Amino acid sequence: MKIDRHGRAKILTPIEIQLLFNSGLQNSRDRALFGICLYTACRIQEACTLRRKDVFDEKRRVRSELIIRKANTKGKLATRTIWVGEELRSLLIDYNPPSYQWFLFPGRHGKGHINPDSAARILREACQRVGIEGASTHSFRRTALTIMSDARIPLRVIQEVSGHRTLDELQKYLEVRPEQVRGAIASLSMLSLVGKTKITDVNLLEEILEGLLTANQWKNCVKSISTRHKSEVRDTS
């Protein structure tokens, strides 16, 4: 969590996202700006430098895909084209800037584009309104990428969205939560036969040791072994 601009940007919960967009952010421009950060997993610099025509066509309709230009990406690696989902489309329609605007989010007095530092200030004020601590403009990107990872989207696909140079760089963004660690440890409960039953099937033992069994196969084996063990106990009593 980020405190006084130190530490990693907070991963936002669904409730915090609702609070920000319903009560924290005060106008359609700000909701559209941070909606782009959330629903495309882009960097704040990339969102601030979008041109209006990268998102809207000449008839002021939201495009099916928005374009993040290579020149505005970190490291200037490549242009990215990202699909616009219904949630983001709704925010953009609500904002719908005039067609004479060059940048999607103009700067002060209409000059240039909004400064990322100004966007960060807007977000800090919005977070203060709704009592969210530890969030920054980077929280939207980290949140989006972590949600994709939790949904088991392949990392290579997520990388295509995020624009990271390597998978190693991408993985640094993904948060491992305490409940996931607990779930990983809980999965070891299938080892409950240790010390309780005796495996007499040599072939089965070799398969287990070689890791050839799936989780379901393992559970079925445990059940089968336990049943045989109880039967043996009855037979000897």
Side-chain angles (χ1 to χ4, degrees):
M1 186 168 67
K2 208 161 192 173
I3 303 296
D4 294 332
R5 304 186 187 184
H6 295 281
R8 302 185 74 186
K10 173 186 176 65
I11 300 291
L12 298 168
T13 67
I15 291 176
E16 288 171 333
I17 291 171
Q18 289 181 13
L19 281 172
L20 271 176
F21 282 88
N22 292 333
S23 304
L25 300 169
Q26 299 291 287
N27 57 62
S28 61
R29 182 204 64 176
D30 296 345
R31 287 188 288 271
L33 172 60
F34 293 110
I36 287 174
C37 293
L38 178 63
Y39 290 112
T40 71
C42 73
R43 302 175 179 89
I44 188 62
Q45 172 73 16
E46 295 169 341
C48 289
T49 54
L50 283 169
R51 301 179 189 180
R52 185 191 59 79
K53 66 180 180 180
D54 293 338
V55 181
F56 290 88
D57 64 19
E58 293 305 315
K59 295 183 178 181
R60 299 180 66 189
R61 295 174 301 194
V62 179
R63 298 184 186 278
S64 59
E65 298 175 324
L66 62 77
I67 297 173
I68 298 176
R69 296 170 182 263
K70 176 180 177 179
N72 298 324
T73 64
K74 185 177 181 180
K76 297 178 172 53
L77 296 178
T79 294
R80 303 201 307 279
T81 302
I82 302 177
W83 179 71
V84 176
E86 289 306 312
E87 294 82 2
L88 178 55
R89 180 178 298 277
S90 177
L91 294 173
L92 291 170
I93 290 174
D94 190 39
Y95 174 47
N96 205 347
S99 56
Y100 61 78
Q101 280 187 194
W102 180 257
F103 287 105
L104 183 60
F105 304 108
R108 196 172 184 182
H109 307 304
K111 296 180 180 179
H113 59 75
I114 187 172
N115 189 290
D117 289 338
S118 298
R121 176 183 52 78
I122 291 169
L123 180 61
R124 284 196 298 273
E125 293 173 354
C127 287
Q128 289 172 0
R129 289 188 191 100
V130 294
I132 295 175
E133 185 180 27
S136 74
T137 54
H138 220 53
S139 290
F140 297 101
R141 180 168 167 84
R142 284 200 71 211
T143 299
L145 297 179
T146 297
I147 289 173
M148 291 182 203
S149 176
D150 289 349
R152 299 186 178 183
I153 304 300
L155 287 180
R156 183 64 190 85
V157 176
I158 299 176
Q159 183 187 20
E160 194 71 17
V161 175
S162 70
H164 282 102
R165 187 188 302 269
T166 66
L167 292 178
D168 285 342
E169 290 179 357
L170 168 60
Q171 288 177 317
K172 294 175 183 177
Y173 273 74
L174 308 180
E175 182 175 70
V176 177
R177 292 187 288 278
E179 59 267 27
Q180 291 175 310
V181 176
R182 288 195 296 271
I185 297 300
S187 70
L188 299 178
S189 63
M190 64 176 63
L191 300 175
S192 60
L193 67 90
V194 174
K196 295 182 180 180
T197 58
K198 179 173 60 178
I199 300 178
T200 57
D201 188 326
V202 176
N203 292 330
L204 173 61
L205 179 59
E206 288 179 350
E207 288 186 349
I208 292 172
L209 293 176
E210 293 174 4
L212 298 178
L213 297 182
T214 66
N216 285 334
Q217 288 172 327
W218 173 268
K219 290 178 181 178
N220 290 333
C221 287
V222 170
K223 184 177 179 181
S224 175
I225 293 167
S226 297
T227 300
R228 290 205 304 269
H229 178 66
K230 291 178 182 177
S231 178
E232 290 172 2
V233 170
R234 285 196 300 269
D235 292 341
T236 57
S237 60

